[in-house]
Amino acid sequence: MIHRFHLSLVHLFLTASLVQSAAGADTAADTGKSLGDTSQVKIRDGRELRPPRTDAAMERWRDNRFGIFIHWGIFSMPGGVVDGKAVPGAAEWIWTSYANKGRKAEYESLAKEFDPVRYDPVAWAKAIKQSGAKYVVFVTKHHDGFCLFDSKLTDYDSAGSKHGKDILKPFVDAVAAEGIDIGLYYSIIDWHHPNYTAKELKTEADHESYRKYLDYMKGQLKELLTGYGDVKLLWFDGRWDASYKNNPQYGKDVEEFCRSVKPGIIINDRVRAYDSFADYDASYERRLPEPAKVLNLDWECCMTMPERTWGYHADPDGAGWKTPRKIIGQMAECASRGGNFLLNIGPKPDGTIRDEELQRLAAVGKWMDVHGSSIRPTRPAGLDLTNKNHEPGNGVFATIHGDTLHLILTQWPDTDRVFLTGLKRKAASAELVRANGSIPLKVDAESRKEGEMQFITGLPMTPPEGEAAWEIRVKLQAP
Ligand code: FHN
């Protein structure tokens, strides 16, 4: 039974690809290539796994490696506080606290009051640029259904609010002016739309009603893909309700629709009802893949700065704010394992970015100014430098670009050396990279029963101060 289901998925995908190539005549060559060789589609964990895309857009997404996620909306207005009490957890879910008390209308009335008088998209774009990030993913509509763009299909949007304007447009313009790639988040779940339901679709009438919602979604996605510059990425979310999850044909249809509107677009796996990885696996949320896991597919980890909340929370709970070292370590670990790192900010209702976030963006950016080449455009070096029980983002992570091997350290070694376990190429020279003058190191090797083991030596016994994380840059001999 399961086997037959998989086969039919492959068949559906092949059919879809043909339709798609025909649809985007002007970019058909790129689109066709971007989907890879469809005869190579495999099944992993019950999902179709396409061969990695080889087109320029996907390579650029990989090269970018580091992006900023922005969760903003009317959910930012209560800031995680209802009736004077902080609600633990994710502030962008505060709708449920209202709805559970029969106060949905009260929550929705926030839409009329939304008026971020200090919103400065140019300042946002500059702060993002300064962080060293190369792409953004902006929440255009979260689960509450409120849209931060001027949609012709609803008044429940920023143009229908006190603000009275499209929030997204000036932001994408500002971001594009900084040379940062644009990704748009769109929630499948919509607690506002009358035709959306979380429940199982049992009757034809249920399906008919739900399809009206899907038409609305597609209409909005078309608005987003045609009216907001060169959108590179669609980031879907909220596929777990029974209505969507148990009807994979709907996710497939949405994916195909988006590709027909914008051939070449990158789409995360959450567009699909757990039956495909689409262009990449975006399931690593507030966590990194298990240490020993070999991924062999494109993936991205999205991460909060506090422990749990994505939207602005006046009183975030949990383990406090991550340090710049922790953030850089997580980013480095992602890069060393072939993944992108999407770091979230949750702006305040008035349109400003809170100091805790600005400081972290600036600290990461200061580090990226000196060490950015260790993150992008790198690929995993395939060295085994961190033990399996390490705490995510803490250890030594290796990336490579051309003849340069980068070791990013968030823990200073106990000895004066770092072994290059697994390095097949010959190391020629090494240095400890620092903003105010690099320190030359030595390359050496020792014989072991498994062969020659190269190592870097000459590290100072105490870690140089002022670095959020350290970088050893190793020049390799030509292969
Ligand atoms: O429910 C959302 C959550 O609010 C947030 O948007 C994250 C970001 O990845 N996604 C969902 C949970 O998976």
Side-chain angles (χ1 to χ4, degrees):
M1 187 62 190
I2 288 171
H3 185 63
R4 271 181 41 208
F5 175 67
H6 290 166
L7 281 178
S8 75
L9 272 179
V10 173
H11 172 74
L12 287 173
F13 176 67
L14 290 173
T15 315
S17 316
L18 294 174
V19 171
Q20 193 175 329
S21 304
D26 50 341
T27 47
D30 187 40
T31 312
K33 213 169 58 171
S34 73
L35 286 169
D37 177 356
T38 49
S39 65
Q40 300 296 311
V41 173
K42 295 184 181 139
I43 300 295
R44 183 195 283 183
D45 301 334
R47 304 185 196 184
E48 65 165 26
L49 175 66
R50 304 167 196 172
R53 277 176 53 166
T54 54
D55 58 300
M58 197 72 202
E59 271 293 296
R60 183 177 165 110
W61 178 84
R62 287 179 196 116
D63 285 352
N64 284 343
R65 277 288 175 253
F66 172 38
I68 299 293
F69 213 169
I70 303 180
H71 275 72
W72 198 38
I74 57 171
F75 52 73
S76 315
M77 296 166 76
V81 178
V82 181
D83 299 332
K85 283 203 195 98
V87 179
E92 72 282 1
W93 274 73
I94 201 82
W95 177 92
T96 53
S97 299
Y98 285 84
N100 291 343
K101 293 179 187 144
R103 291 160 60 181
K104 190 175 160 192
E106 189 185 330
Y107 178 84
E108 296 196 333
S109 70
L110 294 173
K112 288 280 165 234
E113 292 161 37
F114 182 69
D115 191 19
V117 287
R118 297 177 69 196
Y119 174 48
D120 182 348
V122 172
W124 285 23
K126 288 198 185 313
I128 293 165
K129 170 91 172 178
Q130 204 203 354
S131 76
K134 286 287 189 184
Y135 69 107
V136 289
V137 178
F138 187 89
V139 168
T140 63
K141 182 194 84 162
H142 203 261
H143 310 334
D144 64 5
F146 181 77
C147 304
L148 284 174
F149 60 104
D150 182 2
S151 174
K152 302 270 174 300
L153 304 175
T154 182
D155 289 333
Y156 197 55
D157 63 359
S158 62
S161 71
K162 191 167 175 195
H163 181 67
K165 283 177 281 191
D166 193 318
I167 287 281
L168 180 61
K169 189 75 180 90
F171 178 69
V172 295
D173 289 345
V175 156
E178 295 291 352
I180 294 165
D181 289 348
I182 296 151
L184 301 180
Y185 168 112
Y186 188 88
S187 170
I188 294 158
I189 290 175
D190 191 319
W191 296 321
H192 177 75
H193 196 281
N195 293 101
Y196 183 81
T197 179
K199 294 192 192 120
E200 189 76 62
L201 307 175
K202 291 192 179 135
T203 64
E204 186 42 39
D206 291 345
H207 279 276
E208 208 174 296
S209 167
Y210 194 77
R211 280 196 292 266
K212 286 194 184 132
Y213 171 65
L214 292 174
D215 286 345
Y216 169 80
M217 251 181 85
K218 289 201 266 184
Q220 290 205 318
L221 289 162
K222 189 166 185 183
E223 290 179 328
L224 291 170
L225 288 174
T226 54
Y228 295 88
D230 186 14
V231 178
K232 309 269 192 207
L233 164 69
L234 276 180
W235 211 102
F236 285 91
D237 198 10
R239 56 174 157 178
W240 56 81
D241 282 342
S243 49
Y244 201 77
K245 183 176 73 177
N246 298 340
N247 291 288
Q249 73 275 17
Y250 289 147
K252 179 176 173 296
D253 177 51
V254 171
E255 183 188 0
E256 281 170 23
F257 174 79
C258 296
R259 294 195 192 280
S260 73
V261 176
K262 181 138 194 193
I265 187 89
I266 297 172
I267 305 182
N268 71 342
D269 66 325
R270 298 190 192 192
V271 68
R272 298 293 293 257
Y274 305 94
D275 61 337
S276 171
F277 288 100
D279 289 327
Y280 72 89
D281 180 1
S283 62
Y284 297 98
E285 177 174 315
R286 298 195 297 115
R287 71 186 174 101
L288 271 64
E290 299 71 41
K293 190 164 176 175
V294 178
L295 290 121
N296 281 338
L297 83 170
D298 286 302
W299 63 276
E300 179 191 57
C301 156
C302 55
M303 189 56 71
T304 48
M305 287 192 192
E307 193 181 355
R308 288 170 67 185
T309 191
W310 299 87
Y312 169 74
H313 201 305
D315 185 13
D317 63 324
W321 292 81
K322 292 182 184 74
T323 61
R325 176 167 299 165
K326 180 84 181 171
I327 292 167
I328 291 164
Q330 292 181 335
M331 171 169 66
E333 178 158 356
C334 289
S336 76
R337 301 177 64 196
N340 280 14
F341 185 68
L342 186 60
L343 179 65
N344 183 71
I345 56 172
K348 289 159 81 167
D350 68 357
T352 57
I353 302 175
R354 67 194 305 167
D355 288 345
E356 291 91 339
E357 292 174 344
L358 283 175
Q359 284 157 7
R360 281 161 182 79
L361 292 181
V364 173
K366 185 173 165 225
W367 187 85
M368 289 292 276
D369 283 346
V370 181
H371 306 285
S373 65
S374 68
I375 301 294
R376 51 151 221 278
T378 63
R379 296 292 179 266
L383 306 195
D384 186 10
L385 304 180
T386 297
N387 79 43
K388 295 186 178 33
N389 300 321
H390 81 287
E391 178 200 341
N394 198 12
V396 182
F397 306 106
T399 60
I400 192 164
H401 181 63
D403 290 335
T404 308
L405 172 73
H406 303 268
L407 306 180
I408 304 144
L409 292 74
T410 61
Q411 243 173 357
W412 195 251
D414 297 335
T415 67
D416 73 337
R417 59 197 56 192
V418 175
F419 284 92
L420 301 174
T421 314
L423 182 65
K424 302 215 167 46
R425 290 174 65 181
K426 277 264 176 225
S429 63
E431 58 181 350
L432 184 68
V433 179
R434 302 182 62 211
N436 52 355
S438 294
I439 302 173
L441 302 171
K442 286 191 218 99
V443 177
D444 210 339
E446 64 183 33
S447 292
R448 293 199 178 167
K449 63 175 184 315
E450 61 272 26
E452 193 182 64
M453 170 76 83
Q454 300 183 83
F455 60 91
I456 305 297
T457 181
L459 288 169
M461 287 316 283
T462 51
E465 281 176 16
E467 292 284 339
W470 301 274
E471 183 201 352
I472 297 172
R473 207 170 282 176
V474 183
K475 280 282 159 218
L476 301 173
Q477 289 177 17

